[in-house]
């Protein structure tokens, strides 16, 4: 299945355990699974690499989010037959998967990799039906700048229901945008030629946003932001000002943190680090939430999201 180097079990010092289902909605058993992000957080700290950012296509700027979906595929008829037998007895059976690895070496590789200093990445994207899906799968060239793929370029010892398995790890990485205007532009392009590709700049540092630069320099046009009514920058193809775009991307960060902590629930930096956030990402996250009065910081350094009504209203207004 792969020419990747094999990591010997004797060289492993750690393992993780997760569970997957047998595919209740399909006739046969699946050939692989998306892995539970919480279960694998010490193996693949997904939150460390998922990012809220912007994308610029044909002069249109949209908030977007990069989402990582690690998947594990296996090979071998005996294993597949075993899973079929399990499914025939109980299709609700949760199959245990154990992945072994060298945590010390893996952590060292992850610590050496730093994507926080990337300002932007230029790429090209297939138009296709991106107007409908609101996103794209990213190429390996782009993903390798965001995730330390080389750290996972091994055949790890894996046991599926206690059976040694030959497996392949896949870091499916997608970018989703949030802009009606961009969707309309892509739909028009698709009508002309859905197989064409468009140049895109994925922007992580707001200083590199043309929109932000022009806004700060004070250039104005007669066009107004469709949300707040403020003047837009000159020649902007967006119908929203930078401040409203910033609030939209804050909603993405807020929704992500709400997956782990409820409004008014206390958490701290250690909790965020355990989820896979880097210290740099925590600073950005807290600053964004503080900017819009969505979080409070207690005297001991712990955090609390504000009340549920305020959170809900912010998401409803800017999401």
């Amino acid at each position: 299945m792969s020419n990747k180097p094999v990591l010997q079990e004797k060289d492993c010092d750690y393992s993780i355990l997760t569970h997957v289902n047998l595919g209740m909605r399909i006739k046969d058993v699946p050939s692989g699974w998306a892995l539970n992000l919480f279960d694998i957080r010490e193996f693949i700290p997904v939150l460390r690499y998922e990012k809220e950012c912007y994308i610029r296509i044909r002069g249109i700027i949209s908030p977007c989010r990069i989402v990582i979906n690690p998947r594990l595929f296996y090979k071998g008829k005996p294993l597949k037959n075993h899973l079929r037998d399990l499914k025939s007895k109980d299709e609700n059976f949760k199959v245990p998967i154990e992945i072994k690895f060298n945590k010390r070496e893996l952590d060292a590789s992850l610590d050496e990799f730093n994507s926080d200093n990337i300002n932007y990445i230029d790429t090209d994207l297939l138009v296709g039906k991106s107007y409908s899906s609101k996103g794209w799968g990213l190429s390996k060239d782009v993903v390798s700048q965001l995730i330390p793929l080389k750290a996972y370029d091994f055949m790890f010892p894996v046991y599926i229901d206690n059976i040694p398995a030959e497996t392949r790890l896949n870091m499916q990485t997608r970018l989703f945008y949030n802009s009606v205007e961009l969707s309309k532009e892509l739909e028009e392009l698709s009508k002309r030629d859905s197989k064409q590709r468009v140049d895109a700049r994925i922007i992580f540092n707001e200083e590199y946003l043309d929109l932000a630069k022009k806004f700060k320099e004070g250039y104005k046009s007669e066009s107004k932001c469709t949300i707040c009514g403020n003047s837009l920058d000159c020649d902007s193809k967006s119908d929203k000002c930078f401040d409203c775009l910033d609030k939209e991307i804050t909603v993405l960060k807020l929704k992500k943190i709400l997956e782990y902590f409820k409004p008014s629930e206390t958490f701290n930096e250690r909790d965020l680090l355990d989820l896979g956030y880097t210290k740099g990402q925590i600073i950005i996250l807290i600053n964004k939430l503080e900017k819009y009065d969505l979080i409070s910081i207690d005297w001991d350094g712990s955090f609390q999201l504000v009340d549920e009504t305020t959170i809900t209203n912010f998401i409803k207004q800017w999401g």
Side-chain angles (χ1 to χ4, degrees):
M1 178 179 280
S2 174
N3 293 321
K4 293 181 180 181
V6 176
L7 180 64
Q8 299 297 327
E9 191 165 343
K10 64 182 178 62
D11 295 322
C12 299
D13 60 9
Y14 204 84
S15 70
I16 58 165
L17 180 66
T18 188
H19 292 79
V20 295
N21 63 51
L22 289 167
M24 290 182 288
R25 297 180 181 179
I26 59 176
K27 291 183 178 180
D28 202 356
V29 293
S31 297
W33 303 272
L35 299 175
N36 182 287
L37 300 185
F38 185 79
D39 290 347
I40 67 169
R41 65 192 183 283
E42 294 187 82
F43 179 48
I44 308 174
V46 169
L47 283 180
R48 184 184 296 187
Y49 307 114
E50 289 191 336
K51 295 180 182 292
E52 288 83 15
C53 48
Y54 298 88
I55 191 167
R56 188 184 68 196
I57 295 176
R58 297 173 66 86
I60 300 173
I61 295 175
S62 171
C64 56
R65 177 174 177 77
I66 291 174
V67 176
I68 302 168
N69 181 33
R71 300 179 298 171
L72 188 75
F73 297 93
Y74 65 88
K75 178 183 178 182
K77 287 186 177 180
L79 177 57
K80 192 150 196 168
N81 289 335
H82 172 73
L83 295 175
R84 286 169 177 158
D85 184 54
L86 289 176
K87 184 174 181 178
S88 67
K89 296 175 181 176
D90 181 5
E91 65 176 12
N92 295 311
F93 181 74
K94 295 294 184 181
V95 183
I97 295 181
E98 183 183 20
I99 303 174
K100 298 187 177 184
F101 58 100
N102 189 307
K103 193 173 191 305
R104 180 180 57 82
E105 293 184 0
L106 180 63
D107 287 349
S109 296
L110 301 188
D111 290 340
E112 288 177 5
F113 183 87
N114 184 8
S115 62
D116 290 343
N117 296 324
I118 296 177
N119 294 313
Y120 61 86
I121 296 175
D122 287 329
T123 186
D124 62 273
L125 300 167
L126 178 69
V127 171
K129 293 186 177 181
S130 55
Y131 64 90
S132 176
S133 64
K134 302 295 189 297
W136 301 267
L138 296 178
S139 68
K140 187 176 180 179
D141 179 60
V142 172
V143 175
S144 64
Q145 299 180 62
L146 303 171
I147 306 171
L149 294 180
K150 290 184 178 180
Y152 299 99
D153 197 25
F154 294 92
M155 296 289 288
F156 294 92
V158 176
Y159 290 83
I160 299 177
D161 198 31
N162 297 316
I163 298 173
E166 184 180 350
T167 60
R168 173 173 60 88
L169 188 64
N170 172 264
M171 297 285 195
Q172 183 189 60
T173 305
R174 296 183 59 82
L175 181 148
F176 295 97
Y177 66 87
N178 181 22
S179 168
V180 174
E181 184 180 12
L182 180 55
S183 181
K184 289 180 179 178
E185 178 75 9
L186 292 167
E187 185 173 14
E188 289 302 313
L189 292 174
S190 181
K191 288 177 182 178
R192 280 177 257 166
D193 180 8
S194 63
K195 295 182 180 180
Q196 67 177 302
R197 303 184 74 86
V198 290
D199 292 332
R201 172 166 288 187
I202 305 169
I203 304 170
F204 305 99
N205 185 339
E206 292 176 2
E207 293 182 3
Y208 283 78
L209 281 168
D210 291 347
L211 179 61
K213 288 181 178 179
K214 291 178 181 178
F215 185 84
K216 291 177 181 178
E217 290 167 1
Y219 289 104
K220 304 293 181 181
S221 71
E222 295 182 358
S223 300
K224 303 291 184 181
C225 173
T226 56
I227 295 180
C228 68
N230 288 337
S231 296
L232 298 176
D233 65 302
C234 186
D235 299 327
S236 171
K237 290 188 177 181
S238 174
D239 59 355
K240 300 171 187 175
C241 68
F242 175 73
D243 185 55
C244 289
L245 288 172
D246 189 58
K247 289 175 181 174
E248 286 186 355
I249 208 164
T250 299
V251 167
L252 296 176
K253 293 180 180 291
L254 182 58
K255 286 182 176 179
K256 188 63 181 179
I257 203 70
L258 283 169
E259 293 178 12
Y260 302 97
F261 306 107
K262 298 177 182 178
S264 302
E265 179 181 353
T266 299
F267 59 98
N268 55 39
E269 183 181 86
R270 182 71 260 169
D271 295 324
L272 296 173
L273 289 171
D274 289 344
L275 288 172
Y277 284 91
T278 65
K279 289 191 175 182
Q281 289 172 330
I282 292 172
I283 292 172
I284 293 172
L285 171 67
I286 300 304
N287 286 345
K288 285 281 189 189
L289 297 179
E290 268 196 302
K291 180 179 180 180
Y292 298 111
D293 298 320
L294 298 170
I295 198 169
S296 63
I297 303 178
D298 293 335
W299 64 272
D300 61 355
S302 60
F303 312 116
Q304 275 190 343
L305 293 173
V306 296
D307 62 277
E308 185 173 0
T309 300
T310 301
I311 294 287
T312 301
N313 289 341
F314 186 86
I315 293 174
K316 184 176 181 180
Q317 182 174 3
W318 302 108

